[in-house]
Amino acid sequence: MKIVGIRVNNLVKSYELSGKQIKVFDGLNFHTYKNGITVILGKSGCGKTTFLRILANLENMDEGSIDIPGNKKIGFVFQEPRLMPWLNVYENIAFVLGKKETKESKGEILQLIETVGLQNFEKAYPRQLSGGMKQRVAIARALIYDPDIILMDEPFAALDYFTRKTMQDELIKIHSLTKKEILFVTHNIDEGLILGNKIVIFANGQVIKEYDIDDNSYNRDLLSEKFIKLKQDILKNIN
Ligand SMILES: Nc1ncnc2c1ncn2[C@@H]1O[C@H](COP(=O)(O)OP(=O)(O)OP(=O)(O)O)[C@@H](O)[C@H]1O
Ligand SMILES: [Mg+2]
């Protein structure tokens, strides 16, 4: 049975820009599934990043509410890895804990480095890593908080096709290992269809369409009739 996770109720948000009001959300409503991967799809400027920032409390909303079950610990993976160049892989992850190292925390960090497939790279500096490897460090850094929810804002957008594919597989693996709830923002419909167990489409300040994808195999054939139809429908709605 699917349990409701985050619930967004009538969210309204405007920005002021050069004395003018820009309305980003005008009654945004949707919910996610607990422990699922919810994909947010929408054109550039439709408010995807703004939504994640509101959810992470980095931005205020004007009206509405967001209900988050659990103890609301949130991890954020940005579009760029945002690693500290003077710290190695291990230190970049340890840094966010902001406390003295214990035997326990050291074990956890090493375990996470293994989870994201970077064993033997603990001592490497960001400049010695590929783009995909850096992004994996960013994912490990988000996981070290042991968040209930991970927000990912186009995390693989800058990667080439093959690295992106590998990272999607990695993410599916990490998700099945950790069962963390993930909100994943992307422009890429195929990526959404591969990862999401729910896809929500943002347009004109609202959620204009939601799709449940009841396929937990994660061996999805995007060339099957079902997914081709779904993709066509998403394309029609996004425009
Ligand atoms: N700090 C800000 N001040 C004023 N306007 C802003 C601010 N942040 C975002 N906006 C505006 O809000 C709208 C939504 O921006 P947002 O970054 O959320 O879009 P997005 O869907 O993430 O786009 P992209 O896919 O290009 O990343 C845009 O019109 C943008 O100009
Ligand atoms: Mg954005």
Side-chain angles (χ1 to χ4, degrees):
M1 206 184 71
K2 292 195 277 193
I3 304 168
V4 171
I6 299 164
R7 199 182 275 284
V8 182
N9 313 298
N10 279 314
L11 183 68
V12 176
K13 169 79 183 170
S14 294
Y15 282 115
E16 208 183 290
L17 199 65
S18 325
K20 262 186 156 174
Q21 291 282 317
I22 301 175
K23 199 154 210 168
V24 185
F25 298 127
D26 189 13
L28 192 78
N29 286 292
F30 73 99
H31 71 79
T32 68
Y33 291 117
K34 195 166 183 269
N35 305 334
I37 302 182
T38 301
V39 168
I40 298 173
L41 269 174
K43 284 186 180 170
S44 179
C46 73
K48 302 178 299 296
T49 297
T50 302
F51 174 72
L52 293 190
R53 289 178 55 82
I54 291 173
L55 194 55
N57 248 326
L58 299 170
E59 193 80 63
N60 295 322
M61 56 183 113
D62 301 335
E63 286 173 46
S65 61
I66 302 180
D67 306 325
I68 309 174
N71 63 3
K72 305 181 187 185
K73 255 167 95 180
I74 289 176
F76 213 130
V77 181
F78 300 92
Q79 189 163 337
E80 345 67 62
R82 298 193 186 188
L83 303 180
M84 278 163 281
W86 60 90
L87 298 180
N88 67 27
V89 167
Y90 179 93
E91 291 161 346
N92 261 288
I93 300 168
F95 181 82
V96 292
L97 285 176
K99 58 183 185 205
K100 260 193 150 170
E101 184 174 277
T102 61
K103 219 172 137 192
E104 213 183 5
S105 69
K106 190 172 178 193
E108 273 173 41
I109 292 166
L110 292 174
Q111 179 61 52
L112 265 177
I113 289 175
E114 203 177 314
T115 303
V116 298
L118 286 177
Q119 56 275 27
N120 305 323
F121 287 93
E122 295 87 356
K123 293 206 169 78
Y125 286 87
R127 64 172 186 280
Q128 298 170 313
L129 302 174
S130 73
M133 290 160 101
K134 277 186 265 200
Q135 205 50 280
R136 280 186 258 171
V137 180
I139 294 172
R141 187 181 50 184
L143 285 168
I144 192 69
Y145 278 123
D146 195 23
D148 302 299
I149 303 158
I150 307 170
L151 311 181
M152 305 183 91
D153 194 358
E154 292 264 15
F156 309 147
L159 306 177
D160 66 90
Y161 172 85
F162 298 103
T163 312
R164 190 166 186 151
K165 202 88 205 64
T166 311
M167 292 300 294
Q168 290 164 354
D169 292 344
E170 291 283 345
L171 186 68
I172 289 167
K173 240 184 267 166
I174 291 168
H175 180 249
S176 56
L177 276 174
T178 63
K179 295 281 173 246
K180 303 279 181 205
E181 173 159 352
I182 297 174
L183 264 88
F184 191 99
V185 162
T186 181
H187 290 108
N188 187 304
I189 300 178
D190 284 353
E191 183 164 74
L193 290 171
I194 286 168
L195 296 175
N197 73 336
K198 176 163 192 163
I199 297 180
V200 295
I201 314 284
F202 281 18
N204 307 319
Q206 297 183 331
V207 167
I208 52 157
K209 189 95 183 179
E210 295 176 56
Y211 302 88
D212 276 12
I213 300 178
D214 296 312
D215 184 340
N216 295 320
S217 64
Y218 279 125
N219 246 332
R220 297 175 182 175
D221 177 8
L222 296 195
L223 294 175
S224 65
E225 203 181 330
K226 174 181 152 184
F227 280 104
I228 287 175
K229 272 194 173 150
L230 205 57
K231 188 172 176 179
Q232 284 170 342
D233 200 71
I234 290 172
L235 272 168
K236 205 173 72 201
N237 276 293
I238 235 168
N239 278 307

